[in-house]
Amino acid sequence: MVARTWSGRRTALKVGAQAVGAKLTGKEPLSLGEALIARMRHSLDALGADLWLSAPMTGLVEEDGRVTGVRITRNGREVTVRATGGVVLASGGFSHDQRLREKHLPSPTSTEWSSAAEGQTGDALEPAVALGAATDLMDKVWGAPSVVPPEGRPFFLVADRGVPGMVIVNAAGERYANEAAPYHEFVDAMYAHDRPGASTVPSWLILDATSRARYIFMGLFPGQAFPKPWLDSGFVKKAATVEELAARIDVAPERLRATVDRFNGFARAGRDEDFHRGDSVYDRYYGDPTLPHPNLAPLEKGPYYAIPVHPGDIGTKGGLVTDATARVLREDGTPIDGLYASGNVSSAVMGETYPGPGATIGPAMTFSWLAVDDIARTRSAEAR
Ligand SMILES: Cc1cc2nc3c(=O)[nH]c(=O)nc-3n(C[C@H](O)[C@H](O)[C@H](O)COP(=O)(O)OP(=O)(O)OC[C@H]3O[C@@H](n4cnc5c(N)ncnc54)[C@H](O)[C@@H]3O)c2cc1C
């Protein structure tokens, strides 16, 4: 809301001042996930622990039904590392393995829509399954509606879907869901509503000039022009009227016109009768508090823009079934001795839901801690 509210302007000034301050003093402050990982790395260094980079685990070592180590490729050589207490798998999901995506996830699916870390290639799944580990939720992702600019790095739409003056339509030019819904739910809706002749993969996000002038979108400031390569490559379609825009995205012009007119009617009346956009506190959080309705405003000023939206993800949810101390379980519910898993390599403790941001990292940290705690307790019990 940098162009809309005083609190938005103040926050932007504060962030800008911090960035300038950091440049002048030569500091490199970290925030968000980087800050979290940096703090953990700092703790690891303080304990004098080793961290081997570019050293992928390629297999598990099992002796008499117990996991006793891992095989690793390091500096081009296979090495076996013996684990005296246990092995904790924390290698992430399989977002970046197209074969595993096609095997397990709803279709169509693509690694190119995923914002997950590139190392999430599902390496640990098959070795654990070979030892009898059970899996669950393999067809689920931590959904993140995403746009993929020509540079190739996906942009995950969070606040960008809460703003007024914007609709998302299928290939027939129809709205099919509440655009401002939580990202996880929106991806589920994209797959649920995909049908022949009205595909939702990709969908089209339609913006008008007023919306572009007022709000940050895809990291661009209010009023900042779309980069030329985005327009030249056809990634962003631009047209003077709704009907011309419809023709550019192969939608019947009267169909898109009718959708926009219906939405504009809801916006003027202050209630989305079709999909209840803006009814929830979540929707309103990302809206514009200066308007009569924070999430609804008519699209009435050209130029209009259309951008394809894909059912992306920030990770996969399915993986090894674990218990309350992160021990990996077999189909019959018994634990595989010495094997633990946490984070996206394990089946999500949140099940099919996504209560909110933190629902992935929080359990990943907690179950890693529980795993190590269990290893320590078991070892001290064995020593007694
Ligand atoms: C843009 C974005 C925003 C997000 N926002 C939030 C948020 O606000 N809150 C939240 O809770 N979550 C958020 N997430 C999700 C969260 O970042 C992930 O769910 C979480 O990092 C997963 O942790 P992990 O340890 O399972 O996997 P990762 O963090 O991916 O770590 C797994 C590591 O294992 C390595 N690895 C893979 N295979 C091997 C192998 N064979 N041998 C050795 N190492 C291997 C990988 O290279 C990687 O470094 C976000 C994600 C993205 C992309």
Side-chain angles (χ1 to χ4, degrees), residues 182-205:
Y183 34 94
H184 194 63
E185 287 174 25
F186 195 84
V187 164
D188 285 347
M190 288 182 84
Y191 281 115
H193 293 274
D194 195 34
R195 58 179 214 273
S199 173
T200 50
V201 185
S203 295
W204 291 99
L205 184 147

Side-chain angles (χ1 to χ4, degrees), residues 32-33 37 52 55-59 71-72 90-93 114-124 142 153-154 156 183 313-316 342-346 354 356-364 368:
L32 300 165
I37 296 301
W52 293 1
M57 181 206 88
T58 52
R71 276 189 287 282
I72 288 176
S91 51
S114 179
S115 296
E118 278 174 18
Q120 295 213 355
T121 46
D123 295 8
W142 300 102
R153 193 173 172 175
F156 157 34
Y183 34 94
D313 63 83
I314 52 172
T316 48
S342 74
N344 288 347
V345 70
S346 63
Y354 185 60
T360 68
I361 290 176
S368 294

Side-chain angles (χ1 to χ4, degrees), residues 142-230:
W142 300 102
S146 300
V147 287
V148 189
E151 312 85 83
R153 193 173 172 175
F155 186 95
F156 157 34
L157 302 168
V158 183
D160 319 65
R161 288 175 301 105
V163 299
M166 177 275 299
V167 288
I168 297 180
V169 298
N170 61 19
E174 302 154 344
R175 290 178 73 214
Y176 58 89
N178 166 14
E179 292 85 349
Y183 34 94
H184 194 63
E185 287 174 25
F186 195 84
V187 164
D188 285 347
M190 288 182 84
Y191 281 115
H193 293 274
D194 195 34
R195 58 179 214 273
S199 173
T200 50
V201 185
S203 295
W204 291 99
L205 184 147
I206 315 278
L207 283 171
D208 81 339
T210 304
S211 186
R212 196 64 280 286
R214 284 178 171 169
Y215 310 113
I216 289 178
F217 181 72
M218 283 183 73
L220 299 173
F221 273 89
Q224 186 182 350
F226 283 113
K228 198 166 171 302
W230 292 10

